[in-house]
Amino acid sequence: MSSVPLHTQIREIIRRRVLDGTYAPHSQMPSESQMMEAFSVSRITIRQALGDLQKEGLIFKVPGKGSFVAKPKAFQNLSRLQGFGEAMAPSGYETFSQVLSMRQVPASEVVARRLQLGQGDAVYEIQRLRYLNREPISVDQSFFPLALGERLAQEDLPTRDIFVILENDFGLHLTHADVQIEAISADEFLARQLRIAEGSPLLRIERLTYADAQPVDFEFLYYRGDAFQYRLRIDRT
C-alpha cells in the first residue's frame, strides 16, 4: 500500500511514458475507459491525473476526440541556481553534453567586465551542445578565469554539470547568479547545432555566477524557443 494518492501515481506513470517516448508526440492517448481498466481505478481518478498533465503542458484535449500527447517543453525554475542536468533530472529527463570547443581566448570587453578582468586578458572558453532526451536543446558558451577553465577542461564535461564540479570537486561555494533573458533569432551556426531553421526563435540567457563575492563563470546560453522555457514565481508582499 502506498500513501501517495492514486491519481498522483497514475500521473507519474503516464508522465514517464510521455517523456521516454512510449506515447509519441501528437499521438492519441488511450481513452479514459481504457485507462480505467488498465489501472483499475475510477474515471474521476483518471481525469485528475490527466488534468494535472494538461496543466503541465504534457498533453492536450480535443473536444469529442480525447487526449493527445503534446511535444514536451522542458522548463527550469529561475528561483534556484542549478545546472542544466540538476534541474532536469527530477522530472525524469535524460541529459548529456557534447563539447564543441575548449580553448584559451582573449577576454572581450563584456567578458572582461563581467569576470572583473582586463580587456584582452586570457580567459578559458568552453562551448557545449546540451541534449535533452537525445535532442539538442541548447548551445552553452561559457567563460572562466584561465586557471579555473583549464582545470575544468580535464573533467568529464559530457556527463557532469559544471556547477557540480565547481562545488564538489573544486570546493567552491556558489552563492548566486545575475541573469538576463532576451529573445533572438538563430544564426547559421546555432541553427545547424540545434537542428532548426535559421531564423528560428531562441532564448538567449546571459548568466554570471559567483562563488561568494567572486565571479567565476560567465555564460551565454542559447535555448530552443520551441522546446524550453524558464519559469519564475513572484510573490506580492
Side-chain angles (χ1 to χ4, degrees):
M1 298 294 291
S2 172
S3 61
V4 179
L6 276 174
H7 80 273
T8 302
Q9 297 180 47
I10 294 168
R11 181 192 68 203
E12 293 307 308
I13 291 170
I14 297 173
R15 178 190 282 116
R16 285 196 298 271
R17 292 176 181 176
V18 170
L19 295 178
D20 68 15
T22 301
Y23 297 149
H26 306 301
S27 66
Q28 185 168 8
M29 302 281 294
S31 69
E32 290 182 359
S33 297
Q34 289 172 320
M35 285 191 277
M36 287 167 58
E37 182 178 353
F39 293 112
S40 300
V41 296
S42 67
R43 187 177 301 275
I44 192 171
T45 299
I46 294 298
R47 286 182 174 175
Q48 283 180 298
L50 294 178
D52 288 349
L53 295 169
Q54 186 177 11
K55 290 177 183 176
E56 294 178 26
L58 289 178
I59 67 172
F60 61 94
K61 294 184 178 180
V62 177
K65 293 188 176 181
S67 297
F68 293 77
V69 181
K71 184 174 181 179
K73 180 175 282 194
F75 68 90
Q76 184 168 348
N77 194 326
L78 277 181
S79 62
R80 297 185 62 193
L81 178 58
Q82 293 181 302
F84 181 67
E86 289 179 292
M88 296 298 102
S91 297
Y93 291 104
E94 174 192 3
T95 63
F96 65 93
S97 302
Q98 176 188 347
V99 177
L100 300 177
S101 66
M102 299 189 293
R103 57 180 182 164
Q104 177 180 320
V105 298
S108 66
E109 187 275 331
V110 65
V111 171
R113 186 171 69 252
R114 296 292 194 273
L115 292 178
Q116 299 178 8
L117 301 170
Q119 185 172 350
D121 286 355
V123 294
Y124 206 84
E125 178 195 54
I126 297 176
Q127 282 196 347
R128 293 169 296 161
L129 180 60
R130 312 300 299 269
Y131 285 83
L132 183 73
N133 288 353
R134 305 187 183 184
E135 289 191 6
I137 192 75
S138 75
V139 173
D140 295 4
Q141 182 184 28
S142 306
F143 298 91
F144 306 91
L146 184 59
L148 183 61
E150 289 177 335
R151 288 182 67 190
L152 282 169
Q154 307 304 313
E155 301 295 330
D156 183 14
L157 299 182
T159 63
R160 300 186 68 199
D161 271 351
I162 283 177
F163 282 0
V164 173
I165 296 171
L166 293 177
E167 289 187 317
N168 295 349
D169 297 13
F170 296 179
L172 297 181
H173 178 219
L174 303 183
T175 54
H176 64 285
D178 297 328
V179 177
Q180 299 180 50
I181 303 176
E182 64 178 329
I184 66 168
S185 298
D187 61 18
E188 188 276 333
F189 170 75
L190 292 171
R192 183 174 70 253
Q193 297 298 330
L194 296 171
R195 302 177 194 167
I196 56 177
E198 189 171 348
S200 295
L202 297 177
L203 290 175
R204 188 179 88 154
I205 294 89
E206 181 182 306
R207 183 171 67 189
L208 176 62
T209 302
Y210 291 80
D212 295 313
Q214 183 66 37
V216 294
D217 179 2
F218 178 60
E219 302 173 286
F220 293 109
L221 314 174
Y222 300 91
Y223 281 94
R224 283 174 48 181
D226 66 331
F228 195 84
Q229 61 183 215
Y230 274 96
R231 294 182 183 176
L232 177 65
R233 174 176 175 171
I234 302 175
D235 293 320
R236 181 179 176 92
T237 57

